[in-house]
Amino acid sequence: MAPGIAHGSANADRETVDANDRLRVPPDHPHYTLRRLWLTKEEEDGYYLGFANEGIWPLCHIAHTRPLFRAGDWEQYQRVNEKFAEAVLLEIEQAEEPFVLIQDYHFALLPRLIKSKRPDARVAIFWHIPWPNPEAFAICPWQMEILDGLLGADLVSFHIQAHCNNFLNTVDQSLECRIERDRFTVNRTTTFTFGSPASDQRGPARIDGGFRRYFGTEPLEHPGATGDGNPFPGRRRGSHGLHKGIVERFRAIESFLDKCPRLSGAIHVCPIRVPQPDEYQALSGFCYRSGIRGGAHQPASANWQLETDSPF
């Protein structure tokens, strides 16, 4: 039964693991083992909130907010990727030719770190956000390290073909390599990396498309997953932050309510991660200065609500 590794933070995460920081999921009918990895506040601030969410996320989305790249955040990003690599290598120590699936832009360095120690491992990474054009990605001071880390994988998968094409163009302009565009392959001397969109068909992109074609196996589906997984109809879940286009989303809500005034007061925006006091103050202040009516800053005129006591 293949293990999974994920960052643990809340008190409940620590209360539910065993002495080796592992738990069986789901508890009533276990399908796999989850290994929790603990990060310090400095690591979480630098690696996750800093480099990943204030740097890579707006860079790849070409958001209106300029991406922030700080040397200290990059150091934490490297450290946490190394930390996860050590955990993965420990979990696959006894496995022969193991399969490793890595999730998202938080772990761009992880494929190379794993492959350098376990060249027999078959490594795939799914990039859950867009990949920008080469000129935009060149803004990142550590673009070469990120590309080298990703190309440690045997398969790099994206949502759509355009993102895959942008990635290949970025690699082609940045690194010494040969691109085989008919196969979507990067050839660096003796190593090959396949780039793939998640689905060749129209409709919602699925993470298992390229994974199934390359590895010839089915990914494990959570037995309780149905629809979009939102158990609260009428509410919208989503990550928040000034760097993630949250103000534009608020303006979209305002525009929608202007056209459908009968729904005024019925909209709730529930952030998955509750804002820290300084974040919420900055967010509310920005809404006030921008003339956005929702939120806690103008309760008398608000026609929708930003909830900080989120059920998620």
Side-chain angles (χ1 to χ4, degrees):
M1 191 174 295
I5 301 175
H7 166 221
S9 59
N11 293 338
D13 289 340
R14 293 188 181 275
E15 294 171 358
T16 53
V17 297
D18 61 20
N20 296 313
D21 294 328
R22 294 180 174 87
L23 70 154
R24 303 294 299 281
V25 182
D28 54 343
H29 187 57
H31 281 67
Y32 64 96
T33 300
L34 180 64
R35 161 81 183 279
R36 288 294 188 187
L37 195 65
W38 314 109
L39 303 182
T40 65
K41 185 180 186 304
E42 291 74 21
E43 289 173 334
E44 185 172 354
D45 287 347
Y47 140 82
Y48 182 76
L49 299 178
F51 192 81
N53 281 357
E54 291 185 333
I56 295 180
W57 197 98
L59 173 70
C60 288
H61 283 83
I62 314 182
H64 296 299
T65 302
R66 183 176 178 85
L68 300 177
F69 292 108
R70 294 176 286 257
D73 291 345
W74 170 244
E75 292 174 2
Q76 295 295 346
Y77 188 86
Q78 291 176 289
R79 183 173 296 115
V80 172
N81 272 250
E82 292 167 356
K83 200 170 186 176
F84 270 87
E86 292 173 0
V88 172
L89 292 169
L90 182 62
E91 295 294 331
I92 65 175
E93 189 173 20
Q94 303 301 322
E96 295 183 3
E97 299 183 349
F99 295 149
V100 180
L101 174 61
I102 302 169
Q103 299 276 13
D104 224 350
Y105 60 98
H106 309 90
F107 300 112
L109 309 181
L110 196 51
R112 177 69 63 195
L113 292 170
I114 295 173
K115 203 74 170 179
S116 64
K117 299 292 185 181
R118 287 294 303 267
D120 63 316
R122 303 181 76 181
V123 180
I125 181 168
F126 190 90
W127 193 263
H128 282 269
I129 58 178
W131 190 278
N133 58 66
E135 292 76 18
F137 193 77
I139 294 173
C140 179
W142 299 282
Q143 61 166 323
M144 306 290 279
E145 290 85 346
I146 289 176
L147 290 174
D148 181 70
L150 288 171
L151 291 174
D154 299 288
L155 175 69
V156 182
S157 192
F158 302 90
H159 281 116
I160 60 175
Q161 188 65 59
H163 300 164
C164 182
N165 294 342
N166 282 343
F167 175 75
L168 291 177
N169 291 336
T170 302
V171 172
D172 196 18
Q173 294 187 25
S174 304
L175 300 176
E176 188 72 25
C177 62
R178 186 173 78 250
I179 307 292
E180 299 180 29
R181 295 187 180 273
D182 57 330
R183 301 175 59 204
F184 302 105
T185 303
V186 178
N187 181 0
R188 301 181 76 193
T189 62
T190 60
T191 62
F192 295 83
T193 297
F194 292 84
S196 170
S199 175
D200 292 332
Q201 302 174 354
R202 295 188 178 186
R206 290 174 56 87
I207 186 173
D208 56 351
F211 187 84
R212 185 193 298 113
R213 289 197 301 275
Y214 182 73
F215 288 106
T217 184
E218 293 286 342
L220 178 67
E221 293 186 3
H222 193 286
T226 57
D228 65 356
N230 188 353
F232 293 88
R235 298 186 179 187
R236 172 61 183 165
R237 296 187 296 176
S239 57
H240 72 281
L242 296 178
H243 59 282
K244 285 193 171 182
I246 190 66
V247 173
E248 286 77 11
R249 298 182 194 183
F250 287 173
R251 291 192 189 281
I253 296 173
E254 292 286 302
S255 178
F256 172 75
L257 290 174
D258 287 341
K259 296 179 180 179
C260 301
R262 62 185 178 82
L263 295 177
S264 180
I267 303 296
H268 297 259
V269 178
C270 306
I272 293 176
R273 184 180 63 84
V274 177
Q276 299 299 317
D278 56 338
E279 294 177 313
Y280 186 71
Q281 183 178 8
L283 186 58
S284 294
F286 196 97
C287 290
Y288 181 82
R289 292 191 301 273
S290 302
I292 296 174
R293 298 193 299 274
H297 62 280
Q298 285 181 313
S301 60
N303 56 8
W304 59 277
Q305 181 180 352
L306 173 65
E307 296 186 2
T308 55
D309 186 15
S310 173
F312 305 106

